[in-house]
Amino acid sequence: MVALSLLLFLPLILGILAWGAERVRAGSANYMSLAGLGLLLVFFLSLQAESHLKLVWFARFNVYFSLYLDGLAQLMILLTLLLAVLAVLVSWREIRSNRGFFHFNLMFSLSGIIGVFLARDLFLFFLCWEVMLLPMTALILIWGHEGRRYAAFKFFIFTQASSLLMLIAIIGLALAQLSASGQYSFDMQALAKLDLPMASQWWLMLGFFIAFAVKLPCVPLHTWLPDAHTQAPTAGSVLLAGILLKTGAYGFIRILMPLFPEAAQAFSPLAVSLGVFSILYGALMAFSQNDFKRLVAYSSISHMGFILLALFSWHPLALQGAVLTMVAHGISSAALFCIAGMLQQRLHSRELSKMGGLWSSAPKMAALTLVFVMAGIGMPGLANFNGELLSLLGSYKIFPIHAMLAALAIIGSALYGLHLFQRAFQGPANQQVVDLDKRELTFCLLLLLALVYFGLQPQSLLQISEPWLQQLGQIATQVVRP
């Protein structure tokens, strides 16, 4: 139990210590050592067996400090920690000012993300959901690029407005529980047993759906994403693409579908249509971009559409594909944002028109970028292929036309992916850049190894999340018409 609470609070404590270390001795690397060693400790804590912690918090309203670590939460926390270490490494040279405070915000955001994955009380879930918002806004606003103020405020407004809708839905559920049992409850298991009228389910479900769809994001709730990704520091882009987008998908899996199965099933045709539109729109917009980071941002919208399509197909194969896509996209998109950040450091530009022919001066970077691009395209043997294949196979059995339309994005991803690589690394050499140093090469190779391993051994991911997917599958068999 102590270990489970440490899993939530330790990153925040480390962030405070890192901030204090810089204030005591400015210019030292103590803050990085603290962050790195602390994340290693959190990693070992996350490997513990399934456990549950439930403490009384606000007794009058039956609010509990309730944490639960199962396979699905463990999988997402391990991905979070992997990308958090990557965020620390890529900020080694990029962040020049207020480094301790930067790492405080990084760790503070990490605590919120881990809390979202662990929380089993909706009040605690909402609190952690909000905790993610402020430090990530600070990362963009303070250490972002030229348009950081606009991007930070847009990110804050979109996320905060949608969070308020979720808060209203949470209060509505608590009141429904009061009406049914005579007492409030925010416990997810208790709320899942509520017998709500279809109309009530529909409106409450919609509050959660909008909040999660904004974070995912899906079209038309996506417009904050390209600006936030483009203007954020590299570490911020890594966390945004690799983890924060996945909290939206996690909310669908953990909260919306179990709490509102009938309403979610009735909403499925619209949700799946939004997913397919996001897939195609994201691919089209990615192809038209000249900014490296903006192109990768729009590609993320396209890939997240596969998750929405898979989840609301309610088919076991598609649900497995959604989980695999969450992990695979987290790794591959983070890798591409790292490449974009390293190029911006060297060229002081993200514009593809100012690149070209970089293979001649940076062959290691070019070769690794090509692999990361091929992962995004869905090359067999790399992790993304398994996720999108299962998503399409499962969704085809329920929504065949939508699945066929989504499959067209495979062509689109090849077009924008190879377009990105060709403009940056092939053709006449416009500029010369320094190739990857040992630190950069090390974390890029680790990301490559993860993509290859999970591409060849997807079962290792599915075994971890299998118990929860089976529970969701049981719900699906009860509500989905044959």
Side-chain angles (χ1 to χ4, degrees):
M1 290 186 179
V2 175
L4 197 57
S5 59
L6 278 176
L7 195 58
L8 176 61
F9 290 112
L10 189 57
L12 178 58
I13 296 170
L14 290 168
I16 295 172
L17 292 175
W19 189 11
E22 187 195 35
R23 294 176 67 87
V24 170
R25 187 179 178 185
S28 74
N30 291 339
Y31 50 87
M32 286 200 166
S33 301
L34 282 167
L37 292 174
L39 289 174
L40 184 62
L41 177 58
V42 176
F43 173 80
F44 284 115
L45 288 173
S46 68
L47 295 178
Q48 64 179 312
E50 182 176 298
S51 56
H52 186 204
L53 171 65
K54 189 172 185 180
L55 303 173
V56 176
W57 193 3
F58 298 121
R60 181 176 180 180
F61 297 102
N62 281 330
V63 175
Y64 289 87
F65 184 79
S66 180
L67 304 176
Y68 185 60
L69 180 66
D70 62 0
L72 182 61
Q74 186 179 55
L75 179 62
M76 298 313 301
I77 290 172
L78 290 174
L79 176 64
T80 300
L81 295 174
L82 169 67
L83 298 185
V85 171
L86 178 62
V88 171
L89 291 174
V90 297
S91 60
W92 194 280
R93 293 177 181 170
E94 181 180 356
I95 305 303
R96 298 293 184 182
S97 62
N98 299 316
R99 292 180 173 181
F101 188 51
F102 172 86
H103 285 84
F104 165 75
N105 282 282
L106 198 66
M107 295 295 119
F108 192 13
S109 180
L110 193 62
S111 281
I113 293 168
I114 292 175
V116 164
F117 294 141
L118 289 177
R120 289 300 172 271
D121 182 280
L122 281 182
F123 187 90
L124 179 61
F125 178 89
F126 178 77
L127 177 63
C128 294
W129 188 269
E130 290 294 286
V131 165
M132 294 190 301
L133 172 61
L134 293 176
M136 184 55 64
T137 302
L139 288 176
I140 300 171
L141 184 63
I142 300 174
W143 294 277
H145 303 302
E146 62 280 356
R148 59 184 180 274
R149 289 179 178 82
Y150 173 77
F153 289 132
K154 192 173 185 180
F155 167 70
F156 182 86
I157 291 170
F158 265 79
T159 308
Q160 185 64 27
S162 62
S163 297
L164 289 176
L165 293 177
M166 180 168 66
L167 178 60
I168 293 172
I170 291 173
I171 294 172
L173 277 173
L175 292 175
Q177 180 69 20
L178 176 66
S179 176
S181 64
Q183 60 181 358
Y184 295 101
S185 178
F186 295 86
D187 181 76
M188 294 182 190
Q189 288 184 330
L191 294 175
K193 298 175 183 177
L194 274 175
D195 186 17
L196 295 172
M198 189 62 177
S200 299
Q201 271 201 49
W202 180 273
W203 288 108
L204 293 173
M205 181 273 297
L206 198 59
F208 283 99
F209 181 87
I210 293 174
F212 299 147
V214 165
K215 195 62 70 74
L216 189 63
C218 76
V219 179
L221 304 173
H222 69 288
T223 57
W224 65 268
L225 179 71
D227 294 307
H229 270 318
T230 303
Q231 302 303 326
T234 305
S237 295
V238 166
L239 285 185
L240 274 170
I243 300 300
L244 259 73
L245 306 190
K246 310 309 179 295
T247 60
Y250 185 83
F252 286 132
I253 297 172
R254 184 68 80 179
I255 297 177
L256 187 144
M257 298 172 75
L259 263 59
F260 313 104
E262 292 84 7
Q265 191 272 338
F267 192 70
S268 289
L270 179 56
V272 167
S273 298
L274 289 174
V276 172
F277 189 72
S278 298
I279 292 169
L280 299 175
Y281 174 84
L284 178 64
M285 291 299 295
F287 183 75
S288 65
Q289 301 304 309
N290 186 48
D291 185 300
F292 194 123
K293 292 183 73 175
R294 203 170 183 87
L295 187 154
V296 180
Y298 274 110
S299 75
S300 293
I301 296 173
S302 182
H303 288 293
M304 291 300 98
F306 277 99
I307 294 177
L308 194 61
L309 168 66
L311 291 178
F312 281 87
S313 294
W314 288 84
H315 189 278
L317 273 181
L319 295 175
Q320 293 175 11
V323 171
L324 291 178
T325 302
M326 288 165 68
V327 176
H329 177 266
I331 299 171
S332 61
S333 63
L336 285 173
F337 277 115
C338 287
I339 296 293
M342 290 184 286
L343 284 174
Q344 184 170 7
Q345 280 184 275
R346 289 160 167 79
L347 300 173
H348 305 290
S349 175
R350 301 182 303 270
E351 300 299 316
L352 294 173
S353 58
K354 297 181 180 179
M355 301 179 191
L358 297 180
W359 187 297
S360 60
S361 57
K364 297 175 185 176
M365 182 188 295
L368 285 166
T369 303
L370 180 59
V371 177
F372 297 147
V373 166
M374 297 307 292
I377 291 173
M379 180 178 176
L382 299 175
N384 301 61
F385 170 77
N386 302 313
E388 294 183 2
L389 176 64
L390 291 180
S391 297
L392 289 173
L393 288 176
S395 60
Y396 180 79
K397 296 179 180 297
I398 310 297
F399 297 101
I401 296 177
H402 291 79
M404 288 188 286
L405 289 173
L408 295 175
I410 298 174
I411 302 172
S413 62
L415 290 175
Y416 68 69
L418 295 177
H419 176 71
L420 167 68
F421 182 78
Q422 182 183 32
R423 293 189 67 186
F425 292 97
Q426 295 184 315
N430 294 330
Q431 299 192 54
Q432 300 290 313
V433 296
V434 178
D435 207 352
L436 301 177
D437 59 29
K438 291 182 180 180
R439 174 183 58 87
E440 294 167 336
L441 182 61
T442 298
F443 65 68
C444 284
L445 287 175
L446 289 175
L447 291 170
L448 171 60
L449 181 63
L451 288 171
V452 173
Y453 177 78
F454 293 130
L456 299 177
Q457 296 290 335
Q459 192 62 28
S460 60
L461 297 176
L462 295 177
Q463 286 176 346
I464 297 175
S465 58
E466 184 178 8
W468 181 255
L469 290 179
Q470 287 180 347
Q471 292 181 38
L472 207 55
Q474 291 173 1
I475 296 174
T477 58
Q478 297 171 8
V479 297
V480 178
R481 293 185 297 269

